Amino acid sequence: MTSTVIQQSEALDLEDTAVARKEHDASDRELVARLVDQARAEGLELVGENGLLGRLTKLVLESALEGELTDHLGYDKHDPAGRGSGNSRNGSRTKTVITDVGPVEIDVPRDRDASFEPKIVRKRQRRLSGVDEMVISLAAKGLTTGEISAHLAEIYGVEVSKQTISTITDKVIEGMTEWQNRPLDPVYPVVFIDAIHVKIRDGQVANRPIYVALAVTADGERDILGLWAGDGGEGAKFWLHVLTEIKNRGVADVLMMVCDGLKGLPQAIEQVWPQTVVQTCVVHLLRASFRYAARQHWDAIAKALRPVYTAPTEAAALERFAEFAEVWGGRYPAVVKLWQDAWAEFVPFLSFDVEIRRVICSTNAIESVNARIRRAVKARGHFPNEQAALKCVYMAIMSLDPTGKGRKRWMNRWKAALNAFEITFEGRLSATRR
């Protein structure tokens, strides 16, 4: 009997809550309707100075601030319970905040002993978070502080100084440091290491590499492990530092490392992960070949080299390469030497399944990432220091695939290859995960 009464009571409470919610929603709609009618009567625009959205934002912010002060004091406005409480309302002060719909002037309530610390719009806060996110998004696309300032002034009528914009974007540095030191997976089937060259003004403008380590996870997802700035003269010591950092973040095994002839990297890999296969990126090797050949011969050289990297075995690849050298060695000996010097890191993938070959030969894995980074870097031109360049690259990476649609395509592309990795590397992919 008691249980039935409790159930009936709970049902009535739910019904009362639903009725109250409907009444609240109806009240909100009525308020919005009045504001819309008023805006129409006054000929107001939706956005812009004193626009409808600005008025709504003002109303919401001031109501929220009033509610916060009520919670702080412990009694409602004009409530006699506040008399003799030791603290009370003390008028308000006017403040302009920058919002997504433009600058909005609000009245911030105060208390007599100045102990009220609002959360919705903090003391000395002049921008709501949406504006910060907008600035960071524009910076991730490569806009300079001056261009962002001009954009906000033109589109939103908001005056934001270059220094303020720089201060906003500097907030990402803390997040970048945390991201660069986050724990990583215990095993990755493949890690691509590539360089993006940026111009840094350090006394004089010079090209400097920023290295990107992009991994494919055991589930087929993309994971950018980190960013490292170099000076162009990196060797085994530099790469040992980078790989040890990655290992210390939890990576016990990497099945295959794909890189572009980076000096000292194979030796460092041998020391950190002795079982890892070092593979030269075939596409980069082809591009490097073209640097030593006349433009009119590029297609012919590419056609002649194709049988080399598509050969079924290393022995067959050697035969095809000998044929290439016989035809083109006299005209372009530097191309032949390039392939001979890279041969030890070129041939490993020839012994693997066709699915592994396909993903190693394809540049889709990292080129889509590099393309976004290059757009942001190119738009900036050059950077005052290394930190500014790293910040720009990091923001470009964080803005990758905002809709998430690319994630599904990426994973589908890697399904067959991951099965081939599991078989070819005899269970190392799953053994380290257990």
Side-chain angles (χ1 to χ4, degrees):
M1 184 70 176
T2 303
S3 175
T4 303
V5 171
I6 292 174
Q7 290 176 356
Q8 290 176 344
S9 176
E10 289 176 345
L12 288 172
D13 288 342
L14 288 173
E15 185 177 342
D16 290 342
T17 300
V19 169
R21 186 181 296 115
K22 288 181 180 179
E23 291 176 349
H24 187 271
D25 290 345
S27 177
D28 287 346
R29 284 194 295 271
E30 183 181 346
L31 174 60
V32 171
R34 287 204 306 271
L35 285 170
V36 170
D37 290 341
Q38 183 181 351
R40 285 174 178 169
E42 296 177 9
L44 292 179
E45 298 292 335
L46 182 64
V47 294
E49 188 175 359
N50 296 320
L52 176 59
L53 289 181
R55 289 193 176 189
L56 285 171
T57 302
K58 173 181 172 67
L59 180 63
V60 169
L61 291 178
E62 289 180 347
S63 296
L65 288 167
E66 192 62 46
E68 284 189 299
L69 182 57
T70 295
D71 290 340
H72 174 70
L73 296 175
Y75 62 89
D76 289 326
K77 194 172 185 179
H78 307 305
D79 190 334
R83 294 172 184 170
S85 62
N87 194 10
S88 62
R89 286 172 169 78
N90 188 32
S92 64
R93 59 184 176 85
T94 301
K95 175 178 179 177
T96 299
V97 292
I98 299 171
T99 73
D100 292 348
V101 297
V104 175
E105 187 179 274
I106 59 175
D107 292 326
V108 180
R110 299 185 297 183
D111 61 336
R112 191 162 296 279
D113 64 9
S115 60
F116 176 45
E117 296 285 345
K119 301 293 188 299
I120 188 71
V121 181
R122 298 184 303 277
K123 288 182 178 179
R124 293 175 293 280
Q125 182 182 359
R126 296 293 177 181
R127 303 178 312 274
L128 298 190
S129 60
V131 175
D132 287 13
E133 292 165 3
M134 188 188 310
V135 168
I136 291 172
S137 175
L138 292 171
K141 291 177 173 58
L143 273 68
T144 64
T145 54
E147 290 169 337
I148 295 173
S149 178
H151 174 82
L152 293 176
E154 179 182 355
I155 304 300
Y156 299 98
V158 176
E159 296 295 334
V160 183
S161 69
K162 295 180 182 180
Q163 181 58 49
T164 299
I165 291 169
S166 182
T167 301
I168 293 172
T169 56
D170 280 345
K171 291 180 180 179
V172 307
I173 293 176
E174 182 178 341
M176 181 173 71
T177 302
E178 183 178 344
W179 172 81
Q180 184 80 19
N181 292 283
R182 75 194 188 283
L184 301 174
D185 292 353
V187 59
Y188 291 101
V190 59
V191 174
F192 297 85
I193 293 186
D194 200 10
I196 298 293
H197 287 86
V198 301
K199 289 181 171 60
I200 295 179
R201 188 180 63 249
D202 188 7
Q204 60 182 3
V205 177
N207 278 329
R208 295 267 300 277
I210 291 181
Y211 296 100
V212 181
L214 183 149
V216 178
T217 72
D219 297 318
E221 296 186 347
R222 176 176 61 197
D223 190 7
I224 298 175
L225 307 185
L227 302 170
W228 294 268
D231 58 14
E234 289 72 41
K237 184 177 180 181
F238 171 84
W239 290 114
L240 183 61
H241 168 76
V242 170
L243 300 184
T244 301
E245 177 186 317
I246 294 174
K247 184 176 182 180
N248 289 342
R249 290 162 62 193
V251 182
D253 194 10
V254 174
L255 305 188
M256 181 175 284
M257 185 82 74
V258 181
C259 54
D260 182 23
L262 298 170
K263 184 180 178 182
L265 180 55
Q267 295 90 331
I269 294 171
E270 172 68 23
Q271 188 167 340
V272 178
W273 297 297
Q275 291 183 285
T276 298
V277 174
V278 181
Q279 174 66 51
T280 290
C281 177
V282 177
V283 175
H284 283 168
L285 197 56
L286 285 169
R287 289 175 180 169
S289 302
F290 298 151
R291 289 202 296 266
Y292 299 105
R295 178 66 180 84
Q296 65 265 30
H297 295 141
W298 286 6
D299 290 342
I301 288 175
K303 185 176 181 180
L305 284 172
R306 181 174 175 78
V308 178
Y309 62 83
T310 58
T313 63
E314 182 180 351
L318 276 170
E319 291 180 8
R320 303 290 82 77
F321 182 68
E323 295 170 359
F324 171 84
E326 185 177 349
V327 175
W328 292 98
R331 186 185 291 269
Y332 297 122
V335 176
V336 174
K337 185 177 186 303
L338 176 70
W339 282 74
Q340 288 173 338
D341 292 344
W343 195 261
E345 282 81 41
F346 158 69
V347 294
F349 87 121
L350 294 176
S351 61
F352 296 145
D353 182 276
V354 66
E355 295 294 345
I356 294 180
R357 288 194 188 197
R358 184 175 293 118
V359 296
I360 296 305
C361 280
S362 171
T363 59
N364 288 340
I366 197 165
E367 284 301 327
S368 60
V369 175
N370 286 352
R372 174 64 66 86
I373 296 173
R374 287 192 182 100
R375 282 200 299 272
V377 167
K378 185 178 180 181
R380 288 293 303 271
H382 62 268
F383 299 90
N385 51 52
E386 181 182 287
Q387 182 80 315
L390 284 169
K391 183 173 73 171
C392 177
V393 174
Y394 170 72
M395 288 191 293
I397 287 173
M398 292 299 104
S399 68
L400 287 170
D401 193 24
T403 64
K405 293 180 180 178
R407 179 175 175 270
K408 186 175 182 180
R409 290 195 301 270
W410 176 282
M411 294 180 69
N412 288 338
R413 189 185 304 132
W414 278 90
K415 282 182 179 178
L418 291 173
N419 282 284
F421 270 104
E422 180 68 28
I423 295 169
T424 303
F425 289 89
E426 300 178 339
R428 280 167 59 193
L429 188 59
S430 56
T432 317
R433 298 172 71 194
R434 287 195 290 267

